[in-house]
Amino acid sequence: MRSTLSAAARSGRLPRAAGTLTLMGALLAPVASAQTAPAPTTPVQTAPVPPAKSAPAKVGSVSAVTDRAVSALAIEVSGVAKGRIVGCPAALKLSVNAVCVYSQSASGTLRPLLKGRLGARASGDWKSSGKSSVLLAAPAGGKASAFVLLSPMSDTETLVVVDALKAAPAPAASAAPKAATPAGVVRGQPYVLGSDLVGVVKVTSLGGGKYRLSTEDDGLLTVTVGAKSAQAAGGAVELPLAPATDGRNLIFPLAGLRALGCTVTPAGSNLTVACGPDSVGLKPIVF
């Protein structure tokens, strides 16, 4: 997958991206709608015109595409990333102001460089989910009105996105699964969505309510919705709670990750889940 993305980025044609939506929806709140610049007034005619032939001059509409905050920030960011501008993936659902840059630098290298370049204009620190990270920022002399997103494409390649904060969050990311309690979950207990584990655990639907969970360090677990008994690489195991589903996602008990050899560490109001060399920050779901 990463090699395909890298090849596409080098040719200037990026495919539709998917996993980044959750991060953007969790971090970006909608702000006031974009202001439209006042239309230029029609110049006063100096030559007299007969009344029968007089008509108001047509005023061209002012383009609302350009966002000065994004443009200024994109210039600074692209200078640090030392990449080239490419088409933004449609799946990110960015605004028309967004600027995407393909950089041949690792995201871990770019984070401190960009934070240092922005200095006090960076709002807080990088916020991560999976392998992507977001930093709220401001152009020179302005207030925080844009964001920088780093999405790794490989160990040495990164898609850098600059966009305005008025970009609305994706509906899928803003819709919390707490609206209806799925059958089989235990109220008050923490769960995680299978999609929240992208980057550390691969979740494969086997049909019939069965799922296979696997990690890069050979962790393997086959579970069934509604059943505590599961099959690990070393034999049968008993989960503390039965997995559930909302019809689309696997809803897995947080404590059951230990059966995969994963560790869970508190990180403020969130948690860090580490499975072998990989880790991801997430917020558990409590019904």
Side-chain angles (χ1 to χ4, degrees), residues 201-227:
V201 178
K202 180 180 180 181
V203 179
T204 305
S205 175
L206 303 178
K210 289 184 177 295
Y211 291 85
R212 181 173 61 241
L213 289 73
S214 57
T215 64
E216 289 190 3
D217 58 346
D218 298 327
L220 185 64
L221 192 67
T222 302
V223 302
T224 303
V225 170

Side-chain angles (χ1 to χ4, degrees), residues 192 194 197 200-204 211-223 230-234 237-240 250 252-264 273-276:
V192 294
L197 298 172
V200 293
V201 178
K202 180 180 180 181
V203 179
T204 305
Y211 291 85
R212 181 173 61 241
L213 289 73
S214 57
T215 64
E216 289 190 3
D217 58 346
D218 298 327
L220 185 64
L221 192 67
T222 302
V223 302
Q231 188 68 34
V237 295
E238 189 79 3
L239 299 176
L250 171 66
F252 194 74
L254 182 66
L257 292 174
R258 296 189 181 91
L260 270 171
C262 302
T263 59
V264 179
V273 176
C275 303

Side-chain angles (χ1 to χ4, degrees), residues 111-241:
R111 278 195 293 268
L113 294 178
L114 290 171
K115 182 75 181 296
R117 178 69 178 85
L118 294 173
R121 289 179 292 130
S123 178
D125 206 345
W126 291 96
K127 297 182 184 298
S128 301
S129 178
K131 296 184 179 180
S132 298
S133 49
V134 165
L135 179 68
L136 303 185
K143 62 180 181 178
S145 57
F147 67 88
V148 181
L149 167 71
L150 301 181
S151 180
M153 301 168 66
S154 73
D155 292 339
T156 58
E157 298 168 298
T158 305
L159 177 65
V160 185
V161 179
V162 181
D163 198 4
L165 281 178
K166 55 179 168 282
S174 60
K178 295 182 181 180
T181 303
V185 301
V186 178
R187 289 185 175 275
Q189 295 297 319
Y191 291 82
V192 294
L193 294 178
S195 56
D196 289 341
L197 298 172
V198 172
V200 293
V201 178
K202 180 180 180 181
V203 179
T204 305
S205 175
L206 303 178
K210 289 184 177 295
Y211 291 85
R212 181 173 61 241
L213 289 73
S214 57
T215 64
E216 289 190 3
D217 58 346
D218 298 327
L220 185 64
L221 192 67
T222 302
V223 302
T224 303
V225 170
K228 290 184 179 181
S229 58
Q231 188 68 34
V237 295
E238 189 79 3
L239 299 176
L241 297 169

Side-chain angles (χ1 to χ4, degrees), residues 3 21 35 45 59 68 73 93 117 130 157 183 216 235 247 258:
S3 62
L21 288 173
Q35 297 180 346
Q45 296 179 351
V59 179
R68 293 183 179 179
L73 187 59
K93 297 183 180 180
R117 178 69 178 85
E157 298 168 298
E216 289 190 3
R258 296 189 181 91

